[in-house]
Amino acid sequence: MSRRAVGIGLISVGWMGRAHSRAYRNVVEHYPELEVRPELVVAADLVEANRRDAVDLLGYRDAVADWREVLAHPEVQAVSICSPNYLHRELALAAASAGKPFWIEKPMGRGLAESDDIARAAAEAGVVTAVGFSYRNPPAIQKARELIAAGRLGRITNVRVSFLADYSSDPDGALMWRFIRDRAGSGVYGDLLSHGFDLASHLVGPIAEVSAAQETFIAERPQLTGAAIGHNATATGAPGAVENEDYAAVIARFENGALGVFESSRIAVGPRAE
Ligand SMILES: NC(=O)c1ccc[n+]([C@@H]2O[C@H](COP(=O)([O-])OP(=O)(O)OC[C@H]3O[C@@H](n4cnc5c(N)ncnc54)[C@H](O)[C@@H]3O)[C@@H](O)[C@H]2O)c1
């Protein structure tokens, strides 16, 4: 089958930018019925080593330092926004105004106001978008949704979500952007529990009320001196303050009357989730 090429632009070649790139490379193998195929056109990252990887390892034709070149590239027809959270609003508004459909990583904004701005800009521009709630897509979840919607499981009375991760369990792990409020917004609420809230709403329906408690158990971490990607890195810099939560416990009431219990930690030793 000859498939129409769709030009892809990537903004940020970090942990998630690499995951998106692998997915683009594999998508036709997984879904041979597709009539299109992604063509990796250009990636942007501030760090030269990441730009080199984009071309040498990930298969982009070109890599640039300025993300504006990705949005302006005439062959880029869809964009993956895989940047740290503090860039999401600016990038999404620019993508919408360039008329480029985009997949933006979660959490969309650092808070409600930024997320609203992004949703409004995309709607006004009429571009197709997706938010990186990747746990929605496995076939088992899609099947569960169908079964619940068809009433096959009866009345859903309660939901329990546990998202435990160890990525920050080492107190000597670096103070990455994820721990700084101005850069990340919240801690586990946005980084991990946003997946849980999305999944529960996807299956059971909207959440109406919540009550929550959170805590930062590792209050300081060594500051990062060089560049690093991913969830953790070792660092030897002076200690800096962790500004958002390591752990959250939430109880919720869904609009349909179901109750929910949500728990998330980034310092639970053992469970891997990155
Ligand atoms: N859907 C999921 O399951 C999932 C998993 C992990 C991360 N994420 C999300 O993906 C996003 C990125 O997280 P990550 O783990 O890849 O972060 P990361 O720290 O690994 O990578 C961030 C990258 O952004 C680059 N960058 C910084 N400023 C830039 C700029 N001005 N222009 C271009 N690039 C710039 C950095 O050099 C780095 O390569 C976050 O919003 C995160 O919440 C989603």
Side-chain angles (χ1 to χ4, degrees), residues 54-80:
V55 174
D56 289 352
L57 305 179
L58 304 175
Y60 288 85
R61 248 191 271 153
D62 200 4
V64 294
D66 186 348
W67 55 264
R68 288 167 193 81
E69 290 183 44
V70 172
L71 297 182
H73 198 295
E75 288 176 69
V76 168
Q77 294 165 285
V79 182
S80 274

Side-chain angles (χ1 to χ4, degrees), residues 170-192:
D170 179 357
D172 293 330
L175 189 74
M176 320 274 281
W177 64 264
R178 286 172 216 279
F179 301 96
I180 309 293
R181 190 155 281 282
D182 184 43
R183 309 207 135 210
S186 60
V188 286
Y189 282 124
D191 204 31
L192 299 179

Side-chain angles (χ1 to χ4, degrees), residues 11-18 20 44-47 50 64-67 81-88 91 103 105-107 132-135 163 176-178 190-191 195 227-231 274:
I11 305 183
S12 292
V13 193
W15 196 87
M16 207 54 194
R18 290 162 199 252
H20 278 227
D45 201 288
L46 292 181
V47 176
N50 293 337
V64 294
D66 186 348
W67 55 264
I81 299 178
C82 296
S83 315
N85 306 350
Y86 58 93
L87 293 170
H88 286 188
L91 295 173
W103 171 300
E105 269 311 327
K106 46 50 63 178
F133 291 123
S134 32
Y135 294 84
F163 200 155
M176 320 274 281
W177 64 264
R178 286 172 216 279
D191 204 31
H195 282 296
I229 60 169
H231 289 68
E274 291 189 330

Side-chain angles (χ1 to χ4, degrees), residues 119-132:
R120 197 176 320 107
E124 281 170 6
V127 291
V128 174
T129 57
V131 184

Side-chain angles (χ1 to χ4, degrees), residues 1-5 28 32-37:
M1 187 200 294
S2 89
R3 297 183 176 84
R4 184 169 52 83
V28 169
E33 69 278 16
L34 277 183
E35 290 171 7
V36 296
R37 65 180 164 81

Side-chain angles (χ1 to χ4, degrees), residues 8-262:
I8 301 295
L10 169 68
I11 305 183
S12 292
V13 193
W15 196 87
M16 207 54 194
R18 290 162 199 252
H20 278 227
S21 305
R22 281 193 296 279
Y24 284 128
R25 284 209 312 271
N26 292 333
V27 70
V28 169
E29 190 185 337
H30 284 280
Y31 300 98
E33 69 278 16
L34 277 183
E35 290 171 7
V36 296
R37 65 180 164 81
E39 191 160 313
L40 303 182
V41 177
V42 58
D45 201 288
L46 292 181
V47 176
E48 197 196 345
N50 293 337
R51 295 200 293 276
R52 222 173 16 243
D53 285 354
V55 174
D56 289 352
L57 305 179
L58 304 175
Y60 288 85
R61 248 191 271 153
D62 200 4
V64 294
D66 186 348
W67 55 264
R68 288 167 193 81
E69 290 183 44
V70 172
L71 297 182
H73 198 295
E75 288 176 69
V76 168
Q77 294 165 285
V79 182
S80 274
I81 299 178
C82 296
S83 315
N85 306 350
Y86 58 93
L87 293 170
H88 286 188
R89 180 184 179 279
E90 184 184 7
L91 295 173
L93 266 53
S97 117
K100 308 263 169 151
F102 59 88
W103 171 300
I104 187 165
E105 269 311 327
K106 46 50 63 178
M108 201 160 70
R110 282 171 295 184
L112 186 59
E114 284 193 341
S115 298
D116 275 348
D117 286 350
I118 294 170
R120 197 176 320 107
E124 281 170 6
V127 291
V128 174
T129 57
V131 184
F133 291 123
S134 32
Y135 294 84
R136 273 186 178 205
N137 301 318
I141 298 293
Q142 292 175 26
K143 186 69 183 171
R145 190 167 192 247
E146 259 173 55
L147 292 174
I148 291 170
R152 298 272 301 280
L153 302 189
R155 178 179 174 195
I156 304 298
T157 55
N158 61 292
V159 179
R160 190 181 187 99
V161 173
S162 170
F163 200 155
L164 304 178
D166 72 354
Y167 68 76
S168 312
S169 58
D170 179 357
D172 293 330
L175 189 74
M176 320 274 281
W177 64 264
R178 286 172 216 279
F179 301 96
I180 309 293
R181 190 155 281 282
D182 184 43
R183 309 207 135 210
S186 60
V188 286
Y189 282 124
D191 204 31
L192 299 179
L193 264 189
S194 61
H195 282 296
F197 293 136
D198 176 70
L199 210 46
S201 319
H202 189 58
L203 293 175
V204 178
I207 293 171
E209 298 180 87
V210 293
S211 177
Q214 62 277 323
E215 190 53 73
T216 305
F217 290 108
I218 301 178
E220 288 189 332
R221 294 178 172 279
Q223 295 181 63
L224 197 60
T225 38
I229 60 169
H231 289 68
N232 45 34
T234 45
T236 50
V242 174
E243 296 177 0
N244 53 26
E245 72 289 348
D246 288 329
Y247 177 92
V250 180
I251 52 175
R253 189 184 299 279
F254 290 75
E255 278 181 8
N256 65 8
L259 295 180
V261 175
F262 298 76

